[in-house]
Amino acid sequence: MTDFNRRQLMSLGAGAAALAGLGVPMDVLAQAGAKGQLTIGFPADLPTWDPNARTLAAVQSLYKLVFDQPLAQNEDASVKPALVTKYAFTNPTTLELDLRSDVKFHDGTPLTAEDFKYSFFERQQQPVPQGGRKLDTSFIWRKVSAIETPTANKVIMKFSEPMPSAVAWLYFLASFVVPKAHLEKVGVEEFTKKPIGSGPYKFVEYQQGARLVLEANEAYWGGAPKIKNVTIEFIRDPTARVAAFESKRIDVAIDVPIREAQRLGGQPGVTASIYPITDIVLLQITKNGGFADDKARLAAHHAIDKAAISKALFGGFAPTISVPAALGSPGYPTGYEFKFDAAKATALLKELGHGPDKPLKIKLASTNGVFPNDFDTARAIVQMWKKVGIEADLEAIETSVYQERLRAGTLPEATLFSWGNAAADPEFYGGYLLDPKSIFSAFKSDELAPKFQPLLVETDEAKRLSGYKAAHQFASERGFTIPLFQTVKTVVHTNQVNIVKHVNGHILPQTYSFKS
Amino acid sequence: MAFLALQLLIRRALLAVPILLCVSALVFLVLRLLPADPIAMSVPPGATQADYDQLRISFGLDRSLPEQYLIWLGKLLQGDFGGSIFFRRPVMELVAKALPATLELVGLGFLLGIVIGISGGLAMFMTRGRWGEQVLDGSTTVMMAIPEFLWAILLILFLGVVLPLFPFIGRLAPDLTLPVPLTGFLILDSALSLRVDLLASVLAHMALPAFALAIGIAPLLMRVLRSSLLETIHEDYVTQARLRGVSESRIVIRHAFPNAALPTLSLIGVQGGFMFGGTVLVEMIFAYPGLGNLMIDAVRNHDLPVIQAVALIYCVLVLGINAVVDVVYLAVNPRLRLKGRPA
């Protein structure tokens, strides 16, 4: 029998009295998980239910519940077969793919090569309605010049020029297969009201900004999910996510602050999974103002004790990085380390005539609250720089301001920035962040172009990967970038749930189970 | 009375036109002058500078500011708020889904605020000079000192977590499904579909956010009503009533309160406007899918068409509340009705 102390009894009595008085039925306060369903507190909502429309990294996990991608990733982010069982470049501009033959959409119709062609080529060719906008996949797959479908399970993708990252794109942002016949029959507007995919869960109900209700697809080609009913509660505020978990209204809370995760993890019946993912945090560097000289940028990099920041702000869970890529990812040069060396930083600054008495004055911009501890990280860097003779004027900016300045070429010397790359392909790290032609790059240097641009069309995979390793190292050694650490994911859950950690940061309840 | 009220509403509606024009122009201008780029926020990987330029053109952002404003205004007059840059959907559709939730929440918050404010004000007055007044006065100070979003967090902590009496996520319990949306107002929809379980769940989910909003207006109403009553109680007609042997409580309720309520009523109009502003953070904290949450998404992503639309709708709602309060004021204040009569 459960023992209650006096305070608990008083609480129960007061609660029951209040409930009775207010007429609140007890089932309103039903605890999550009680009815065999998994409830997840998720920090972001979908902008649209058209999975090809937006490349918003934060919600790709949600699309993956209802839709399938041609390829998938293992827990360590390596590629694995999904709808596509076999793939190979037969020449630099032709990619041949074999599709599974046992895949069905939620309405029971088979998924065939025609659906693939529609999702990755035909939809992108359709005229954009007045006031509308192209699908994001139109930009991603712009090099696709044709898709041949010799059989219902064979696809031949033809590219206008080599696209070595095509394989990675088949399991990356917005690359989902949609049902051609159904979408053409009902139109996009109706489709987004009740989407049909071939994924592990079927869509049941969606309230924008509030909730997504799903049920298991028992006929899923990869085997029916073990958890049959999943509800995603969109709770933007991290404090509210923590409160929802503590009051047992959700079974799993995603992206709670690290300190809260550690605290909750210490409670009985709760597990906190805190692990690094393939997204990275870095300083986007320009050669504007005080950073025109390589020595100044290198001094700034040497002066940052990344391990200390990781320990102080991320509980030591954020691995420090020396190039703009996740540790162990294909583009990370093995064994390379850009060392924290305050003495070297001081010496480099001295060569430029600067020191603590005559500091080098620069500007550092940072978002505040866009990703965990962003502004605190920036403040720590300011203090570390101050010790060696760099005086940084710290400015808090919105992401939209960062984007505007990036586009206009008016970013300050350094800007703290978070970069997502669930695929972990090196093209989506340095290829985007450092190729001067890329709209995402901040440091526009003619020295970087020959390092990165040939790799964008290099079809020899071994050469491509070794090329990126070298280019990343080169950029770091010349002070064209200041990578800091990998992002940390927090998942707090009850012990009744077994979760699977994916280093690409995805939250995939189809891989979860309840403990028996 | 009905004629005067109609006259008043027409006057208010006419006055609203230039106000809305000014607000729309101001919001439009301020958003365009901010050093932030709405297109850059949603440029996908693989896009080139040419694509980016093309996107700017497709949203009309390459045109001059007056041109952009006139095009937007022209569409607005046809009931078209344009398309959302972030959501890739018509703004009207997004607003139509979110507006009923916010109106329902503000309505309940407003009602709670008025009930707490008036009953509290009366209680403060009735206990004047005693410890009860001191306690109530202290509580109004505490209520005013803590901002709405912090109240929201405290309410979640105490009534959602420590003593889990109320749910605090969304509009409905996870095991209940929405009725076919007749109006989008869940209280109404669940009542129309005769679902008591839905109605109870909807009201329970609204309780804490509505209370957090109510706390924003209740203490001010309490204090103003108490002050007005203190002034009114010394009027000659109150003294006459006392001499006639009328009980103190009857004097307060029947004689002093109707006169003292007028300044409180004016304040309700002003505070009602502020309450809409309060929904932004309160809705975010309670994961309540209304206009406030939509506004947060829009601001984060610099989604200009959505920000403009929501700002304008807030303005219309505030003007609407003020017009309703004016009509009520007219109804309860006979002097205003006399002024309106021809000599």
Side-chain angles (χ1 to χ4, degrees), chain A residues 11-305:
Chain A
S11 296
L12 275 173
L19 277 173
L22 290 164
V24 179
M26 289 306 287
D27 65 343
V28 165
L29 307 171
Q31 304 289 285
K35 293 175 186 173
Q37 73 162 32
L38 183 74
T39 306
I40 301 174
F42 201 79
D45 187 10
L46 297 149
T48 167
W49 266 109
D50 183 344
N52 302 139
R54 293 298 315 268
T55 52
L56 207 62
V59 296
Q60 294 302 305
S61 298
L62 301 180
Y63 288 129
K64 278 173 178 281
L65 297 173
V66 177
F67 301 97
D68 274 323
Q69 296 191 285
L71 292 168
Q73 287 173 282
N74 291 304
E75 290 161 42
D76 63 356
S78 59
V79 62
K80 69 175 181 182
L83 298 178
V84 168
T85 54
K86 223 167 88 183
Y87 58 90
F89 278 104
T90 52
N91 67 56
T93 56
T94 306
L95 177 63
E96 287 196 14
L97 310 158
D98 289 348
L99 297 183
R100 294 182 71 98
S101 56
D102 58 348
V103 181
K104 284 193 164 61
F105 287 111
H106 299 155
D107 60 356
T109 56
L111 184 151
T112 69
E114 285 306 314
D115 298 301
F116 186 100
K117 183 180 179 183
Y118 179 71
S119 306
F120 293 95
F121 185 64
E122 289 176 354
R123 287 198 81 191
Q124 290 71 30
Q125 312 304 315
Q126 288 171 352
V128 180
Q130 181 72 26
R133 189 176 148 174
K134 278 188 193 176
L135 298 170
D136 279 2
T137 48
S138 307
F139 301 97
I140 293 162
W141 295 104
R142 67 189 319 146
K143 288 182 183 173
V144 177
S145 54
I147 290 183
E148 293 168 12
T149 53
T151 71
N153 306 112
K154 182 88 182 169
V155 170
I156 302 171
M157 296 181 89
K158 300 269 186 186
F159 300 97
S160 56
E161 61 176 288
M163 186 180 172
S165 62
V167 172
W169 269 115
L170 289 175
Y171 53 87
F172 200 29
L173 309 171
S175 295
F176 293 91
V177 179
V178 293
K180 177 182 179 178
H182 179 70
L183 224 157
E184 284 187 336
K185 184 180 158 196
V186 301
V188 176
E189 204 182 320
E190 281 306 309
F191 179 79
T192 53
K193 285 180 187 161
K194 195 164 175 42
I196 283 176
S198 61
Y201 285 97
K202 291 181 186 177
F203 177 98
V204 175
E205 186 195 332
Y206 170 68
Q207 298 167 45
Q208 190 179 318
R211 173 175 305 148
L212 166 64
V213 183
L214 303 159
E215 67 179 14
N217 174 10
E218 294 296 337
Y220 188 54
W221 58 267
K226 291 193 177 95
I227 295 180
K228 302 302 175 193
N229 298 292
V230 172
T231 298
I232 310 283
E233 298 276 4
F234 303 119
I235 312 172
R236 287 177 172 79
D237 187 63
T239 313
R241 281 201 297 283
V242 170
F245 182 80
E246 287 198 275
S247 62
K248 298 188 172 66
R249 287 185 171 89
I250 56 175
D251 306 290
V252 183
I254 311 296
D255 290 344
V256 301
I258 288 174
R259 279 180 194 159
E260 284 293 302
Q262 287 174 314
R263 179 181 67 79
L264 291 169
Q267 293 181 0
V270 177
T271 302
S273 299
I274 308 171
Y275 54 98
I277 59 170
T278 50
D279 294 356
I280 58 170
V281 176
L282 73 161
L283 287 180
Q284 281 278 64
I285 298 299
T286 69
K287 50 188 168 186
N288 296 337
F291 271 3
D293 197 298
D294 288 11
K295 286 176 186 161
R297 301 191 302 269
L298 289 171
H301 195 168
H302 279 299
I304 301 172
D305 187 350

Side-chain angles (χ1 to χ4, degrees), chain A residues 329-366:
Chain A
S329 67
Y332 201 94
T334 318
Y336 173 68
E337 188 186 354
F338 192 102
K339 287 206 165 103
F340 161 61
D341 189 340
K344 194 168 182 183
T346 310
L348 284 165
L349 285 168
K350 199 174 175 186
E351 285 179 44
L352 297 172
H354 293 289
D357 299 333
K358 193 190 167 197
L360 170 69
K361 293 189 176 178
I362 61 160
K363 283 185 178 162
L364 168 65
S366 170

Side-chain angles (χ1 to χ4, degrees), chain A residues 11 14-16 18-19 22-25 27-30 35 37 46-48 53-56 132-134 136 139-140 142 169 173 189 205 207-211 231 233-237 239-240 243-244 246-247 249-250 399-401 403-404 407 432 439-440, chain B residues 35-37 40-49 51-52 55 58-59 85-89 93-94 97 153 156 160-161 163-178 197 200-201 204-205 284-285 287-289 293-294 296-297 300 302:
Chain A
S11 296
L19 277 173
L22 290 164
V24 179
D27 65 343
V28 165
L29 307 171
K35 293 175 186 173
Q37 73 162 32
L46 297 149
T48 167
R54 293 298 315 268
T55 52
L56 207 62
R133 189 176 148 174
K134 278 188 193 176
D136 279 2
F139 301 97
I140 293 162
R142 67 189 319 146
W169 269 115
L173 309 171
E189 204 182 320
E205 186 195 332
Q207 298 167 45
Q208 190 179 318
R211 173 175 305 148
T231 298
E233 298 276 4
F234 303 119
I235 312 172
R236 287 177 172 79
D237 187 63
T239 313
E246 287 198 275
S247 62
R249 287 185 171 89
I250 56 175
T399 310
S400 54
V401 174
Q403 299 289 2
E404 163 70 17
R407 208 69 62 232
Y432 281 11
I439 56 170
F440 301 107
Chain B
D37 187 341
M41 285 293 289
S42 61
V43 173
T48 61
Q49 187 59 42
D51 294 324
Y52 168 80
L55 283 170
S58 70
F59 280 96
I85 297 171
F86 176 70
F87 293 97
R88 311 277 168 92
R89 274 185 280 165
E93 182 192 317
L94 296 166
K97 274 190 180 165
I153 292 170
I156 286 177
V161 179
L163 195 64
L165 286 177
F166 292 97
F168 54 87
I169 308 163
R171 294 177 83 186
L172 209 56
D175 54 339
L176 295 173
T177 44
L178 277 175
D197 56 336
S201 180
H205 278 78
M284 187 187 79
I285 293 166
Y288 198 86
N293 250 331
L294 182 65
I296 284 180
D297 273 336
R300 272 184 187 161
H302 208 61

Side-chain angles (χ1 to χ4, degrees), chain B residues 112-127 132-144 214-230 257 260 263-264 267-268 271:
Chain B
L112 269 176
I114 291 171
V115 169
I116 297 169
I118 290 178
S119 53
L122 285 170
M124 275 172 93
F125 176 76
M126 301 291 271
T127 56
E133 187 193 28
Q134 308 241 334
V135 169
L136 287 167
D137 195 34
S139 62
T140 58
T141 307
V142 172
M143 281 197 265
M144 285 194 289
I215 292 175
I217 67 166
L220 270 177
L221 297 185
M222 283 167 75
R223 286 193 166 186
V224 169
L225 183 61
R226 193 254 319 246
S227 302
S228 302
L229 283 168
L230 284 172
F257 178 69
T264 314
L267 189 69
I268 287 172
Q271 292 297 311

